[in-house]
Amino acid sequence: MIWIIGGTKDSRDFVQLYNQKENLIVTTATEYGGKLLEEFNVKVVTARLTEIEMEKFVEKEKISKVIDLSHPYAVEVSQNAMVASKNKNIDYIRFERENLETEDENNIIFYSVDEIVTYIENLQGNILITLGSNNIEKFQNLKNIGNLYFRILPKWEMIKKAEDCGILPKNIVAMQGPFTYDMNLAMLKQLNIKYMVSKKGGNTGGEREKIEAAKANNTLSILLDRPKIKYPKVYFKIDDLLKNI
């Protein structure tokens, strides 16, 4: 069996194009990630696996190869999968979204969420945070929290987490992306956003549309750079990946 570490649009695209779906087993961290694959005849397991659990999973499911199509910022998942693959002597292949060129006077790049939190605390004006719900708690004690708007998935547990962190309903934008250029621009204008915080998620994650909309609105893009990980084997296009497995 080939193990697909999924939960992303990239993994859905791969499964859709792969002809021998009966040879695939896909893991997703959330039930929502699994629902993205419901239309395909493929086995899906929803679980957050530790490195040891990954090794047991490889044994149980008789995995011969791991294809990691997890999110670019899911560092722990990729690192654990590489260790488990090495320990079990099976191939590990990584699909990585291509990085967009973002060197522009309208963009500023940081290398950690903590750096971003420190930077934005003294900014004047409204700020749109599009990092998802995982790091909301890092922003909750900022003195300008009332000027921060959080764009997150419209899932109950994520909205509750935001509210538990003291984020008012008016500062929560619960919507499913990725968003078009026009949608991003309209949101920036509606909320009078002066600064936008975003990940470098690539075209699949709607990065280009966000950055271009921000530039058109004279909104400064504050970008969280991707983690730098050395993979044993990596592909940047789904077609290339399909040809080489």
Side-chain angles (χ1 to χ4, degrees):
M1 294 289 284
I2 298 175
W3 173 19
I4 306 299
I5 303 178
T8 59
K9 184 179 182 299
D10 302 313
S11 62
R12 185 185 186 281
D13 291 344
F14 175 85
V15 170
Q16 183 176 19
L17 294 171
Y18 191 72
N19 290 327
Q20 297 175 299
K21 294 179 177 56
E22 67 276 8
N23 294 331
L24 301 180
I25 182 168
V26 185
T27 55
T28 65
T30 65
E31 290 184 4
Y32 174 74
K35 288 181 179 179
L36 293 175
L37 302 170
E38 282 183 344
E39 65 184 277
F40 307 115
N41 185 25
V42 62
K43 184 177 180 181
V44 178
V45 175
T46 298
R48 296 179 183 271
L49 303 176
T50 64
E51 190 274 316
I52 297 300
E53 289 170 336
M54 286 182 176
E55 291 190 25
K56 293 179 179 178
F57 181 81
V58 167
E59 292 178 0
K60 178 184 176 183
E61 301 296 340
K62 296 180 172 55
I63 302 298
S64 60
K65 184 177 299 183
V66 180
I67 303 179
D68 182 2
L69 292 111
S70 61
H71 195 276
Y73 291 81
V75 178
E76 187 175 357
V77 173
S78 294
Q79 290 176 334
N80 285 344
M82 282 189 282
V83 172
S85 299
K86 185 176 181 180
N87 289 346
K88 290 301 176 182
N89 196 30
I90 60 175
D91 287 340
Y92 169 94
I93 301 173
R94 170 65 175 167
F95 172 79
E96 185 80 341
R97 298 175 186 173
E98 289 187 279
N99 245 325
L100 295 182
E101 180 57 56
T102 53
E103 290 188 10
D104 187 285
E105 62 182 10
N106 199 64
N107 306 329
I108 181 169
I109 298 176
F110 289 91
Y111 300 96
S112 73
V113 175
D114 291 336
E115 289 177 341
I116 291 175
V117 170
T118 300
Y119 176 75
I120 70 172
E121 182 167 21
N122 296 309
L123 296 179
Q124 301 295 318
N126 291 343
I127 305 169
L128 178 64
I129 312 291
T130 66
L131 299 178
S133 62
N134 286 341
N135 296 291
I136 287 180
E137 66 278 359
K138 293 191 175 186
F139 297 89
Q140 64 181 329
N141 294 320
L142 293 184
K143 60 187 179 184
N144 58 343
I145 187 67
N147 293 337
L148 272 57
Y149 292 82
F150 294 85
R151 192 164 78 184
I152 59 177
L153 285 172
K155 297 186 67 177
W156 175 84
E157 62 267 28
M158 295 182 181
I159 296 172
K160 184 178 185 301
K161 180 178 180 180
E163 291 184 333
D164 288 346
C165 288
I167 312 302
L168 296 176
K170 73 179 184 68
N171 292 80
I172 300 172
V173 182
M175 298 178 68
Q176 169 72 56
F179 302 94
T180 64
Y181 166 86
D182 289 335
M183 176 63 82
N184 281 307
L185 183 58
M187 190 175 299
L188 295 173
K189 289 182 178 296
Q190 174 69 28
L191 299 176
N192 192 27
I193 299 298
K194 301 302 181 186
Y195 306 91
M196 179 187 70
V197 180
S198 177
K199 294 176 180 177
K200 288 177 58 61
N203 277 334
T204 303
E207 180 186 352
R208 187 184 304 278
E209 289 80 2
K210 280 196 283 188
I211 290 177
E212 290 181 353
K215 188 172 184 177
N217 196 56
N218 291 320
T219 296
L220 180 69
S221 292
I222 300 168
L223 304 176
L224 176 63
D225 201 16
R226 288 190 193 179
K228 300 295 188 292
I229 301 177
K230 186 175 181 179
Y231 300 105
K233 187 181 295 184
V234 60
Y235 294 98
F236 299 95
K237 296 182 184 299
I238 293 291
D239 287 345
D240 291 339
L241 174 59
L242 288 165
K243 292 174 185 176
N244 289 279
I245 58 173

